[in-house]
Amino acid sequence: MNKIKSIYQKKEEVSYVRKEFIDILKKTKELSIKNNSNLYFIYLPHYSRYKYNKHYATYDLIRETLENLNIEYIDIHTEILAKEKNPLKLYPFELNGHFNETGYKKIATTIDKIINKNWPSLIVFDLVEFKHFFIFWIKRFPLSIFF
């Protein structure tokens, strides 16, 4: 009986987290519109996806939510990691954690390429980190990018 109760509680937690995620995205989009900004969501996949060859249902859920809310996103899995012969080489010593210098350089280059393709006259000049959120400020237009 406890196992069934535990499964039910986890489903409730997932539902709550999904609702919170959608609410945060909606508020973020409203704020970016209010501030005449362009919003990009950057999807950074987890290390275990490549270490254990796992596909997470949350990946599909995130993409579907972003598309339903009409929020532009940059999928680092599709743009970089899925194209790598060994994506683990973009992590320090191929171990779990943050990306290594090469990984971050590829991510930054990809983000820059995509943003400049959409907004060629924009120049990124500052990067402010706040927990897991990064905000790029642009000389001509503010541009919010969330990780």
Side-chain angles (χ1 to χ4, degrees):
M1 187 67 167
N2 283 338
K3 196 171 190 176
I4 293 171
K5 187 177 179 182
S6 175
I7 291 169
Y8 180 74
Q9 285 174 334
K10 285 184 181 183
K11 284 184 178 182
E12 281 185 341
E13 289 172 14
V14 168
S15 179
Y16 174 77
V17 169
R18 181 176 186 215
K19 183 187 176 316
E20 288 293 306
F21 177 66
I22 292 169
D23 288 345
I24 290 168
L25 287 175
K26 284 180 179 177
K27 288 176 183 176
T28 303
K29 183 175 179 178
E30 288 171 11
L31 182 63
S32 69
I33 290 169
K34 181 180 172 186
N35 289 312
N36 195 28
S37 299
N38 298 312
L39 173 67
Y40 286 84
F41 183 96
I42 311 299
Y43 176 77
L44 293 172
H46 193 269
Y47 166 87
S48 63
R49 178 175 190 148
Y50 308 101
K51 177 68 176 179
Y52 305 109
N53 199 21
K54 281 186 160 184
H55 177 80
Y56 291 98
T58 52
Y59 173 72
D60 299 324
L61 178 67
I62 290 169
R63 286 179 32 168
E64 178 184 310
T65 302
L66 294 169
E67 288 169 3
N68 288 340
L69 294 173
N70 200 26
I71 294 175
E72 292 188 68
Y73 62 94
I74 299 171
D75 184 348
I76 298 303
H77 165 70
T78 303
E79 295 290 332
I80 300 170
L81 294 160
K83 296 175 183 176
E84 290 287 328
K85 195 178 229 178
N86 176 14
L88 295 177
K89 73 178 182 180
L90 300 177
Y91 295 87
F93 308 107
E94 297 188 8
L95 297 174
N96 190 9
H98 294 279
F99 291 96
N100 60 25
E101 182 180 351
T102 303
Y104 278 121
K105 184 171 182 150
K106 285 185 177 215
I107 291 168
T109 302
T110 299
I111 292 170
D112 183 57
K113 178 185 76 177
I114 291 171
I115 290 173
N116 282 320
K117 184 173 96 179
N118 295 334
W119 300 95
S121 62
L122 302 181
I123 301 168
V124 176
F125 69 90
D126 193 17
L127 173 63
V128 180
E129 180 182 354
F130 180 71
K131 291 189 179 179
H132 296 291
F133 297 100
F134 292 82
I135 301 170
F136 287 85
W137 294 99
I138 307 299
K139 285 188 177 179
R140 290 206 176 134
F141 303 98
L143 172 71
S144 303
I145 301 182
F146 291 88
F147 287 79

